[in-house]
Amino acid sequence: MKNKTTRFIVGNALLIALTVVFTMINIPITPGVSLNLSLVTIALASIIYGWKSGLFVGLVNGALVIISASIFL
């Protein structure tokens, strides 16, 4: 049981780290439209570890978006 908990914590930490990286990277497609890959990590977290993990990774993503928007404004 201890090994499963460790994998859960490490897996969530890796997905949160990927969310931080993907939130900062925007791929411009056309003027005004850009592709953001951070939603992929939210979906992976909820598929692999359940809805609570997906919710937490999504909250981290939302906080990063709010912080980056306030810095640019």
Side-chain angles (χ1 to χ4, degrees):
M1 189 67 168
K2 186 177 182 180
N3 191 16
K4 192 173 184 179
T5 306
T6 305
R7 285 186 184 183
F8 178 78
I9 292 171
V10 171
N12 281 327
L14 285 173
L15 287 171
I16 289 172
L18 283 174
T19 299
V20 170
V21 171
F22 287 158
T23 301
M24 300 303 166
I25 298 173
N26 289 324
I27 303 168
I29 297 174
T30 60
V33 178
S34 63
L35 181 66
N36 190 347
L37 298 175
S38 64
L39 294 178
V40 173
T41 57
I42 298 170
L44 280 175
S46 54
I47 290 170
I48 295 172
Y49 298 112
W51 68 272
K52 291 180 184 178
S53 177
L55 177 71
F56 185 69
V57 174
L59 287 174
V60 169
N61 183 23
L64 287 171
V65 168
I66 289 173
I67 290 170
S68 65
S70 65
I71 288 173
F72 288 122
L73 293 178

